[in-house]
């Protein structure tokens, strides 16, 4: 033990598989040549099905159409839409012409749209006309006069999109080939805005090299081949969808299956069944919703082999059900952040179930991770909590036009500081214990919400639980848990919670307050907005409602 305790919390990902030196367009061309007749893209909502040969041709058509609109290398092209086939076509088309794709969160409202369009200097915006309660067309019109760089807005299903495709049909493939010959894998290709749970969102700027290799690496560790069919119900605007989903598939000749424009548990499982999917993606909340379907057992999920659960901490009990009830024996946990393209650590398909339910795996190929003391920056011994940092090909170029904010998170050694609390064990497996900002200090004791939540997930009446810190005169902070109850269960009381936790966790870790809700405030990517929960909790406590 003394030897292990002395090991530093540092690990590097060795690999006999070299990094890809392609641009995204160059890599796609190789896949199209190798697997022209295999399914590339299935959009369940529209009924569209494309082989790789057809997909490559459609991407070229959109690329030539964008060139006809006057888009040149380095221009920022905004994309504001839920999941649909056109989203994927624009993703690869912008990469082929050297434009920088700016992903716009489908949940944004007018002021957020205006901010992103101006901050990134978007010249052409491609968007869906509407989705659910969002009137994208109307919001675009309201901001056009406030966005001087924006010169074109192209709406799917409208005359401008039809004209773009028609122009692409008459475009010159030789012109496109000439442009592609000038592109470098290190060129910026994508700007993804962070969730912006506090302040204005930051635009993480990613290169071809960043995201192409990360998608490839994720697919390699999942064992993808051209025989795989990947169900992608997570949003394309986020790395989970467009990198871990789309780029993982296209670097291996696998098929991308879009179950629908937005997440619906029944639609996702129906797509798995109908398309014989081998892989299914989701954040924990998605898998919880799928498992909770009354007719869950009626779906034929026998083709599922693998998949990814990521985006937020994955409850142990949910993970076990995904393996046992969904048959995803090789399901993987991925951990990362937008700024790292996104995946830094991942469990392997041959890891034990215990490893896959209790850690976020080991460092990925060609990457480095370390755990440091948040104050001193010194690497801590294995088994000691600290801040997780990562370095390597995946670290972003920087925040778009914000060098000061970039310098706050990427140090002089090119280490990305994640803000996440982690512990590395003696075998190099990493456990995430929470966000540095989420850690609760109760009476001088550090309490990590994740540890408490894992205990609460074993309560038979709880569907989900989220622990936060709230102000307290005596202890500085006290613990509160927000819970979602299973159908038919009695609402949980503070006394009942205390009785359940006695003997399972230390007394100071038992939440004092319980708040029963139907849903948690969430980002579009499925991350719980604990900042919003704390604000609401303070209001409820001040009003004497809890």
């Amino acid at each position: 033990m003394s030897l292990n305790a002395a090991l530093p919390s540092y690990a590097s990902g060795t690999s006999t598989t070299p990094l890809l030196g392609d641009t995204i367009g160059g890599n796609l061309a190789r896949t199209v040549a190798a697997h022209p007749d295999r399914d590339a893209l299935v959009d369940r909502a529209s009924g569209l099905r494309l082989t790789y040969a057809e997909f490559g041709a459609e991407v070229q058509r959109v690329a030539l159409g964008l060139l006809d609109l006057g888009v040149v290398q380095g221009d920022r092209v905004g994309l504001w839409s839920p999941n649909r086939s056109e989203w994927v076509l624009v993703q690869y088309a912008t990469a082929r012409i050297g434009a920088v794709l700016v992903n716009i969160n489908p949940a944004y409202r007018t002021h957020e749209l205006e901010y992103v369009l101006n901050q990134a200097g978007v010249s052409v915006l491609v968007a869906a006309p509407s989705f659910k309660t969002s009137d994208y067309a109307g919001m675009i019109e309201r901001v056009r006069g406030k966005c001087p760089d924006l010169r074109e807005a192209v709406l799917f299903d409208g005359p401008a999109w039809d004209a773009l495709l028609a122009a692409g049909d008459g475009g010159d493939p030789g012109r496109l080939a000439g442009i592609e010959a000038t592109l470098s894998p290190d060129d910026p290709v994508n700007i993804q805005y962070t969730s912006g749970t506090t302040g204005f969102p930051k635009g993480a700027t990613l290169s071809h090299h960043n995201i192409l290799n990360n998608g490839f690496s994720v697919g390699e560790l999942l064992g993808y081949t051209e025989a795989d069919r990947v169900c992608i119900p997570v949003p394309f605007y986020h790395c989970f969808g467009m990198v871990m989903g789309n780029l993982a598939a296209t670097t291996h000749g696998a098929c991308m299956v879009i179950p629908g424009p937005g997440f619906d548990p029944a639609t996702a499982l129906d797509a798995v069944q109908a398309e014989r999917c081998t892989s299914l993606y989701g954040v924990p909340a998605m898998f919880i919703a799928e498992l909770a379907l009354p007719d869950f057992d009626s779906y034929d999920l026998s083709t599922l082999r693998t998949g990814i659960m990521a985006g937020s901490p994955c409850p142990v009990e949910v993970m076990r059900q995904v393996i046992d009830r969904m048959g995803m024996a090789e399901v993987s946990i991925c951990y990362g952040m937008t700024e790292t393209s996104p995946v830094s650590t991942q469990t392997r398909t041959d890891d034990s179930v215990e490893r896959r339910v209790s850690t976020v795996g080991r460092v990925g190929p060609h990457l480095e991770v370390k755990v440091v003391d948040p104050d001193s920056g010194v690497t801590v011994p294995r088994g000691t909590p600290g801040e997780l940092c990562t370095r390597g090909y995946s670290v972003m170029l920087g925040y778009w036009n914000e060098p000061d904010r970039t310098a706050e998170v990427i140090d002089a050694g090119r280490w990305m500081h994640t803000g996440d609390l982690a512990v590395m064990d003696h075998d190099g497996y990493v456990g995430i214990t929470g966000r540095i900002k989420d850690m609760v200090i109760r009476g001088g004791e550090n309490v990590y919400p994740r540890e408490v939540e894992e205990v609460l997930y074993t309560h038979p009446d709880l569907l989900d639980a989220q622990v936060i810190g709230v102000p307290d005169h005596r202890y500085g902070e006290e613990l509160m848990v927000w819970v979602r109850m299973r159908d038919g269960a009695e609402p949980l009381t503070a006394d009942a919670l205390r009785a359940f936790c006695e003997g399972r966790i230390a007394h100071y870790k038992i939440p004092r307050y319980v708040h029963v809700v139907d849903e948690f405030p969430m980002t579009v990517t499925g991350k719980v907005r604990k900042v919003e929960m704390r604000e609401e909790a303070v209001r409820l406590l001040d009003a004497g409602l809890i």
Side-chain angles (χ1 to χ4, degrees):
M1 280 302 293
S2 59
L3 178 63
N4 287 335
L7 282 174
S9 294
Y10 168 87
S12 61
T14 57
S15 177
T16 56
T17 303
L19 289 169
L20 300 175
D22 300 331
T23 60
I24 289 171
N27 183 266
L28 177 63
R30 288 223 308 271
T31 301
V32 168
H35 308 288
D37 299 324
R38 299 210 62 107
D39 283 350
L41 181 65
V42 175
D43 184 350
R44 297 273 297 163
S46 69
L48 181 73
R49 309 178 75 87
L50 297 174
T51 64
Y52 265 100
E54 293 165 339
F55 179 69
E58 286 298 302
V59 167
Q60 178 165 297
R61 185 186 186 199
V62 175
L64 290 170
L66 288 169
L67 290 177
D68 185 74
L69 268 184
V71 178
V72 298
Q73 183 177 352
D75 276 1
R76 274 76 67 204
V77 175
L79 182 50
W80 196 25
S81 168
N83 287 14
R84 50 190 290 170
S85 58
E86 293 91 342
W87 207 110
V88 188
L89 296 175
V90 172
Q91 174 186 346
Y92 287 82
T94 49
R96 287 195 64 183
I97 63 175
V100 181
L101 180 71
V102 179
N103 302 4
I104 302 176
N105 188 327
Y108 274 1
R109 290 297 181 254
T110 309
H111 71 285
E112 296 157 315
L113 172 67
E114 179 186 339
Y115 174 79
V116 166
L117 293 177
N118 283 326
Q119 205 279 326
V122 169
S123 59
V124 173
L125 174 60
V126 184
S130 62
F131 179 60
K132 294 183 177 177
T133 61
S134 294
D135 175 11
Y136 296 143
M139 286 189 270
I140 291 167
E141 286 307 308
R142 287 195 288 277
V143 305
R144 285 196 81 150
K146 304 174 186 177
C147 301
D149 293 312
L150 184 64
R151 54 182 180 78
E152 297 282 353
V154 179
L155 297 181
F156 296 141
D157 310 319
W161 179 250
D162 292 341
L164 182 147
L165 295 179
D169 287 333
D172 177 11
R175 179 187 176 198
L176 179 58
I179 292 169
E180 288 192 277
T182 69
L183 303 182
S184 163
D186 295 320
D187 290 338
V189 74
N190 188 212
I191 298 174
Q192 299 197 25
Y193 281 86
T194 57
S195 299
T197 50
T198 56
F200 284 113
K202 304 181 289 287
T205 308
L206 304 166
S207 67
H208 293 259
H209 193 67
N210 286 152
I211 59 177
L212 180 68
N213 276 290
N214 203 258
F216 175 67
S217 173
V218 167
E220 285 287 287
L221 293 182
L222 293 174
Y224 280 173
T225 71
E226 67 274 14
D228 280 291
R229 302 175 68 81
V230 187
C231 182
I232 312 172
V234 294
F236 288 148
Y237 93 87
H238 186 264
C239 270
F240 200 170
M242 68 165 285
V243 178
M244 298 156 70
N246 296 345
L247 285 167
T250 61
T251 51
H252 291 87
C255 178
M256 301 165 280
V257 176
I258 308 172
F263 174 69
D264 175 80
T267 301
L269 295 189
D270 186 60
V272 170
Q273 176 176 274
E275 296 297 330
R276 313 298 289 162
C277 292
T278 59
S279 179
L280 173 63
Y281 288 8
V283 299
M286 291 179 176
F287 285 103
I288 289 169
E290 289 157 359
L291 289 160
L293 287 172
D295 61 345
F296 173 84
D297 292 326
S298 69
Y299 290 94
D300 178 3
L301 308 179
S302 59
T303 54
L304 281 178
R305 169 183 69 82
T306 187
I308 297 173
M309 197 191 299
S312 59
C314 306
V316 171
E317 288 304 309
V318 176
M319 185 66 170
R320 291 192 191 282
Q321 288 194 54
V322 167
I323 293 170
D324 295 339
R325 296 183 63 203
M326 301 182 87
M328 294 167 60
E330 298 179 14
V331 67
S332 180
I333 295 284
C334 290
Y335 161 83
M337 59 195 308
T338 302
E339 291 90 337
T340 55
S341 301
V343 177
S344 298
T345 70
Q346 185 173 351
T347 60
R348 284 23 174 200
T349 55
D350 60 352
D351 278 340
S352 69
V353 172
E354 182 57 33
R355 290 288 198 199
R356 284 185 278 150
V357 298
S358 61
T359 77
V360 292
R362 293 174 284 142
V363 64
H366 304 288
L367 296 174
E368 300 170 272
V369 294
K370 65 178 179 178
V371 181
V372 304
D373 182 292
D375 297 320
S376 69
V378 174
T379 304
V380 299
R382 295 199 180 189
T384 304
E387 182 184 16
L388 185 65
C389 301
T390 185
R391 180 168 70 178
Y393 76 82
S394 70
V395 175
M396 67 175 178
L397 300 176
Y399 293 124
W400 184 262
N401 281 346
E402 296 195 273
D404 291 343
R405 294 179 91 177
T406 302
E408 290 172 4
V409 296
I410 300 178
D411 66 24
R414 288 292 297 170
W415 286 98
M416 176 77 203
H417 290 250
T418 67
D420 284 323
L421 289 164
V423 177
M424 183 183 294
D425 71 14
H426 65 279
D427 292 320
Y429 287 83
V430 175
I432 302 297
T433 56
R435 295 286 294 168
I436 290 175
K437 293 176 183 176
D438 286 344
M439 187 178 72
V440 181
I441 304 176
R442 180 191 182 277
E445 298 275 8
N446 290 353
V447 181
Y448 301 101
R450 174 77 190 277
E451 179 187 359
V452 182
E453 289 161 1
E454 290 291 2
V455 172
L456 298 179
Y457 276 118
T458 65
H459 192 294
D461 292 339
L462 294 189
L463 192 61
D464 208 347
Q466 296 290 329
V467 173
I468 58 173
V470 294
D472 184 79
H473 292 301
R474 182 177 180 186
Y475 293 106
E477 281 188 291
E478 189 55 273
L479 276 78
M480 171 188 272
V481 61
W482 289 36
V483 297
R484 294 170 56 212
M485 309 301 299
R486 295 192 183 279
D487 288 343
E490 290 293 319
L492 189 67
T493 65
D495 288 341
L497 176 75
R498 193 173 301 109
F500 176 79
C501 291
E502 290 284 354
R504 287 183 168 91
I505 49 175
H507 68 88
Y508 66 87
K509 298 178 183 177
I510 300 175
R512 178 178 175 184
Y513 304 106
V514 178
H515 184 39
V516 180
V517 295
D518 293 327
E519 298 291 340
F520 302 132
M522 308 277 273
T523 67
V524 172
T525 53
K527 293 182 181 179
V528 176
R529 294 176 62 93
K530 288 199 172 184
V531 170
E532 191 174 315
M533 290 170 63
R534 276 189 285 271
E535 292 170 352
E536 175 67 5
V538 170
R539 188 188 70 77
L540 293 171
L541 289 168
D542 286 347
L545 298 176
I546 292 181

